[in-house]
PDB file of all heavy atoms in Angstrom:
ATOM      1  N   LEU A  89       7.715   6.792  10.235  1.00  0.00           N
ATOM      2  CA  LEU A  89       9.135   6.762  10.692  1.00  0.00           C
ATOM      3  C   LEU A  89       9.932   5.654  10.164  1.00  0.00           C
ATOM      4  O   LEU A  89      11.078   5.832   9.705  1.00  0.00           O
ATOM      5  CB  LEU A  89       9.210   6.827  12.242  1.00  0.00           C
ATOM      6  CG  LEU A  89       8.982   8.246  12.868  1.00  0.00           C
ATOM      7  CD1 LEU A  89       9.014   8.090  14.374  1.00  0.00           C
ATOM      8  CD2 LEU A  89      10.021   9.241  12.344  1.00  0.00           C
ATOM      9  N   GLN A  90       9.306   4.479  10.190  1.00  0.00           N
ATOM     10  CA  GLN A  90      10.032   3.296   9.688  1.00  0.00           C
ATOM     11  C   GLN A  90      10.252   3.392   8.245  1.00  0.00           C
ATOM     12  O   GLN A  90      11.349   3.083   7.705  1.00  0.00           O
ATOM     13  CB  GLN A  90       9.127   2.091   9.951  1.00  0.00           C
ATOM     14  CG  GLN A  90       9.917   0.829  10.117  1.00  0.00           C
ATOM     15  CD  GLN A  90       8.979  -0.361  10.288  1.00  0.00           C
ATOM     16  OE1 GLN A  90       7.778  -0.169  10.555  1.00  0.00           O
ATOM     17  NE2 GLN A  90       9.497  -1.545  10.098  1.00  0.00           N
ATOM     18  N   HIS A  91       9.343   3.887   7.474  1.00  0.00           N
ATOM     19  CA  HIS A  91       9.486   4.088   6.023  1.00  0.00           C
ATOM     20  C   HIS A  91      10.570   5.081   5.673  1.00  0.00           C
ATOM     21  O   HIS A  91      11.461   4.896   4.832  1.00  0.00           O
ATOM     22  CB  HIS A  91       8.074   4.462   5.432  1.00  0.00           C
ATOM     23  CG  HIS A  91       8.023   4.401   3.937  1.00  0.00           C
ATOM     24  ND1 HIS A  91       6.931   3.888   3.289  1.00  0.00           N
ATOM     25  CD2 HIS A  91       8.951   4.657   2.982  1.00  0.00           C
ATOM     26  CE1 HIS A  91       7.134   3.891   1.997  1.00  0.00           C
ATOM     27  NE2 HIS A  91       8.354   4.343   1.753  1.00  0.00           N
ATOM     28  N   LYS A  92      10.480   6.272   6.409  1.00  0.00           N
ATOM     29  CA  LYS A  92      11.507   7.299   6.170  1.00  0.00           C
ATOM     30  C   LYS A  92      12.938   6.742   6.534  1.00  0.00           C
ATOM     31  O   LYS A  92      13.849   7.117   5.809  1.00  0.00           O
ATOM     32  CB  LYS A  92      11.161   8.432   7.125  1.00  0.00           C
ATOM     33  CG  LYS A  92      12.070   9.692   6.976  1.00  0.00           C
ATOM     34  CD  LYS A  92      11.759  10.748   7.970  1.00  0.00           C
ATOM     35  CE  LYS A  92      12.861  11.762   8.108  1.00  0.00           C
ATOM     36  NZ  LYS A  92      12.932  12.693   6.969  1.00  0.00           N
ATOM     37  N   ASN A  93      13.002   5.979   7.524  1.00  0.00           N
ATOM     38  CA  ASN A  93      14.268   5.343   7.900  1.00  0.00           C
ATOM     39  C   ASN A  93      14.854   4.515   6.721  1.00  0.00           C
ATOM     40  O   ASN A  93      16.100   4.617   6.484  1.00  0.00           O
ATOM     41  CB  ASN A  93      14.075   4.507   9.079  1.00  0.00           C
ATOM     42  CG  ASN A  93      15.279   4.107   9.791  1.00  0.00           C
ATOM     43  OD1 ASN A  93      16.284   4.864   9.686  1.00  0.00           O
ATOM     44  ND2 ASN A  93      15.370   3.036  10.604  1.00  0.00           N
ATOM     45  N   GLU A  94      14.046   3.835   6.018  1.00  0.00           N
ATOM     46  CA  GLU A  94      14.506   2.990   4.873  1.00  0.00           C
ATOM     47  C   GLU A  94      15.068   3.954   3.759  1.00  0.00           C
ATOM     48  O   GLU A  94      16.112   3.752   3.126  1.00  0.00           O
ATOM     49  CB  GLU A  94      13.438   2.148   4.237  1.00  0.00           C
ATOM     50  CG  GLU A  94      13.190   0.911   5.055  1.00  0.00           C
ATOM     51  CD  GLU A  94      12.278  -0.052   4.264  1.00  0.00           C
ATOM     52  OE1 GLU A  94      12.314  -0.068   3.014  1.00  0.00           O
ATOM     53  OE2 GLU A  94      11.518  -0.785   4.967  1.00  0.00           O
ATOM     54  N   HIS A  95      14.376   5.086   3.577  1.00  0.00           N
ATOM     55  CA  HIS A  95      14.809   6.102   2.570  1.00  0.00           C
ATOM     56  C   HIS A  95      16.141   6.651   2.992  1.00  0.00           C
ATOM     57  O   HIS A  95      17.068   6.734   2.155  1.00  0.00           O
ATOM     58  CB  HIS A  95      13.836   7.216   2.488  1.00  0.00           C
ATOM     59  CG  HIS A  95      12.525   6.844   1.923  1.00  0.00           C
ATOM     60  ND1 HIS A  95      11.393   7.649   1.989  1.00  0.00           N
ATOM     61  CD2 HIS A  95      12.104   5.805   1.140  1.00  0.00           C
ATOM     62  CE1 HIS A  95      10.317   7.103   1.331  1.00  0.00           C
ATOM     63  NE2 HIS A  95      10.774   5.985   0.806  1.00  0.00           N
ATOM     64  N   THR A  96      16.299   6.999   4.261  1.00  0.00           N
ATOM     65  CA  THR A  96      17.499   7.639   4.708  1.00  0.00           C
ATOM     66  C   THR A  96      18.707   6.694   4.492  1.00  0.00           C
ATOM     67  O   THR A  96      19.737   7.081   4.085  1.00  0.00           O
ATOM     68  CB  THR A  96      17.399   7.944   6.192  1.00  0.00           C
ATOM     69  OG1 THR A  96      16.249   8.797   6.327  1.00  0.00           O
ATOM     70  CG2 THR A  96      18.579   8.814   6.725  1.00  0.00           C
ATOM     71  N   LYS A  97      18.473   5.412   4.888  1.00  0.00           N
ATOM     72  CA  LYS A  97      19.562   4.526   4.762  1.00  0.00           C
ATOM     73  C   LYS A  97      20.041   4.304   3.243  1.00  0.00           C
ATOM     74  O   LYS A  97      21.188   4.144   2.964  1.00  0.00           O
ATOM     75  CB  LYS A  97      19.142   3.141   5.284  1.00  0.00           C
ATOM     76  CG  LYS A  97      19.199   3.057   6.801  1.00  0.00           C
ATOM     77  CD  LYS A  97      19.062   1.680   7.295  1.00  0.00           C
ATOM     78  CE  LYS A  97      19.044   1.625   8.826  1.00  0.00           C
ATOM     79  NZ  LYS A  97      18.142   0.575   9.306  1.00  0.00           N
ATOM     80  N   PHE A  98      19.003   4.322   2.384  1.00  0.00           N
ATOM     81  CA  PHE A  98      19.359   4.209   0.987  1.00  0.00           C
ATOM     82  C   PHE A  98      20.214   5.322   0.421  1.00  0.00           C
ATOM     83  O   PHE A  98      21.246   5.127  -0.224  1.00  0.00           O
ATOM     84  CB  PHE A  98      18.015   4.085   0.150  1.00  0.00           C
ATOM     85  CG  PHE A  98      18.220   4.074  -1.350  1.00  0.00           C
ATOM     86  CD1 PHE A  98      18.636   2.864  -1.981  1.00  0.00           C
ATOM     87  CD2 PHE A  98      18.082   5.208  -2.155  1.00  0.00           C
ATOM     88  CE1 PHE A  98      18.817   2.889  -3.370  1.00  0.00           C
ATOM     89  CE2 PHE A  98      18.267   5.210  -3.496  1.00  0.00           C
ATOM     90  CZ  PHE A  98      18.657   3.999  -4.103  1.00  0.00           C
ATOM     91  N   ILE A  99      19.812   6.578   0.816  1.00  0.00           N
ATOM     92  CA  ILE A  99      20.579   7.739   0.324  1.00  0.00           C
ATOM     93  C   ILE A  99      22.008   7.626   0.900  1.00  0.00           C
ATOM     94  O   ILE A  99      22.940   7.932   0.235  1.00  0.00           O
ATOM     95  CB  ILE A  99      19.892   9.055   0.899  1.00  0.00           C
ATOM     96  CG1 ILE A  99      18.533   9.221   0.268  1.00  0.00           C
ATOM     97  CG2 ILE A  99      20.743  10.259   0.559  1.00  0.00           C
ATOM     98  CD1 ILE A  99      18.526   9.490  -1.241  1.00  0.00           C
ATOM     99  N   GLN A 100      22.152   7.221   2.226  1.00  0.00           N
ATOM    100  CA  GLN A 100      23.466   7.074   2.778  1.00  0.00           C
ATOM    101  C   GLN A 100      24.273   6.071   2.018  1.00  0.00           C
ATOM    102  O   GLN A 100      25.526   6.297   1.775  1.00  0.00           O
ATOM    103  CB  GLN A 100      23.301   6.703   4.265  1.00  0.00           C
ATOM    104  CG  GLN A 100      22.922   7.813   5.202  1.00  0.00           C
ATOM    105  CD  GLN A 100      22.603   7.355   6.606  1.00  0.00           C
ATOM    106  OE1 GLN A 100      22.466   6.130   6.824  1.00  0.00           O
ATOM    107  NE2 GLN A 100      22.463   8.214   7.508  1.00  0.00           N
ATOM    108  N   LYS A 101      23.652   4.976   1.697  1.00  0.00           N
ATOM    109  CA  LYS A 101      24.346   3.890   0.990  1.00  0.00           C
ATOM    110  C   LYS A 101      24.839   4.376  -0.400  1.00  0.00           C
ATOM    111  O   LYS A 101      25.954   4.076  -0.838  1.00  0.00           O
ATOM    112  CB  LYS A 101      23.438   2.692   0.824  1.00  0.00           C
ATOM    113  CG  LYS A 101      24.031   1.486   0.322  1.00  0.00           C
ATOM    114  CD  LYS A 101      24.631   0.614   1.409  1.00  0.00           C
ATOM    115  CE  LYS A 101      25.275  -0.640   0.814  1.00  0.00           C
ATOM    116  NZ  LYS A 101      26.216  -1.285   1.655  1.00  0.00           N
ATOM    117  N   VAL A 102      23.939   5.086  -1.159  1.00  0.00           N
ATOM    118  CA  VAL A 102      24.305   5.562  -2.449  1.00  0.00           C
ATOM    119  C   VAL A 102      25.459   6.634  -2.349  1.00  0.00           C
ATOM    120  O   VAL A 102      26.434   6.530  -3.143  1.00  0.00           O
ATOM    121  CB  VAL A 102      23.114   6.169  -3.218  1.00  0.00           C
ATOM    122  CG1 VAL A 102      23.526   6.847  -4.502  1.00  0.00           C
ATOM    123  CG2 VAL A 102      22.038   5.138  -3.463  1.00  0.00           C
ATOM    124  N   GLU A 103      25.410   7.439  -1.374  1.00  0.00           N
ATOM    125  CA  GLU A 103      26.553   8.421  -1.186  1.00  0.00           C
ATOM    126  C   GLU A 103      27.818   7.682  -0.813  1.00  0.00           C
ATOM    127  O   GLU A 103      28.886   8.093  -1.324  1.00  0.00           O
ATOM    128  CB  GLU A 103      26.120   9.374  -0.017  1.00  0.00           C
ATOM    129  CG  GLU A 103      25.282  10.572  -0.433  1.00  0.00           C
ATOM    130  CD  GLU A 103      26.058  11.361  -1.580  1.00  0.00           C
ATOM    131  OE1 GLU A 103      27.108  12.001  -1.269  1.00  0.00           O
ATOM    132  OE2 GLU A 103      25.542  11.325  -2.732  1.00  0.00           O
ATOM    133  N   GLU A 104      27.725   6.650  -0.030  1.00  0.00           N
ATOM    134  CA  GLU A 104      28.911   5.906   0.355  1.00  0.00           C
ATOM    135  C   GLU A 104      29.509   5.219  -0.866  1.00  0.00           C
ATOM    136  O   GLU A 104      30.714   5.250  -1.067  1.00  0.00           O
ATOM    137  CB  GLU A 104      28.499   4.848   1.353  1.00  0.00           C
ATOM    138  CG  GLU A 104      29.577   4.042   1.941  1.00  0.00           C
ATOM    139  CD  GLU A 104      28.978   2.744   2.623  1.00  0.00           C
ATOM    140  OE1 GLU A 104      28.116   2.873   3.481  1.00  0.00           O
ATOM    141  OE2 GLU A 104      29.508   1.634   2.283  1.00  0.00           O
ATOM    142  N   PHE A 105      28.613   4.660  -1.713  1.00  0.00           N
ATOM    143  CA  PHE A 105      29.128   4.045  -2.954  1.00  0.00           C
ATOM    144  C   PHE A 105      29.839   5.074  -3.856  1.00  0.00           C
ATOM    145  O   PHE A 105      30.887   4.786  -4.365  1.00  0.00           O
ATOM    146  CB  PHE A 105      27.958   3.469  -3.783  1.00  0.00           C
ATOM    147  CG  PHE A 105      27.566   2.069  -3.495  1.00  0.00           C
ATOM    148  CD1 PHE A 105      26.251   1.656  -3.285  1.00  0.00           C
ATOM    149  CD2 PHE A 105      28.560   1.073  -3.305  1.00  0.00           C
ATOM    150  CE1 PHE A 105      25.892   0.395  -3.034  1.00  0.00           C
ATOM    151  CE2 PHE A 105      28.165  -0.235  -2.998  1.00  0.00           C
ATOM    152  CZ  PHE A 105      26.865  -0.590  -2.879  1.00  0.00           C
TER     153      PHE A 105
END
Side-chain angles (χ1 to χ4, degrees):
L89 280 179
Q90 207 184 344
H91 195 139
K92 183 186 164 70
N93 197 25
E94 282 192 30
H95 291 165
T96 307
K97 281 190 183 148
F98 176 79
I99 297 289
Q100 283 169 349
K101 188 88 183 163
V102 173
E103 274 303 292
E104 182 197 311
F105 271 137

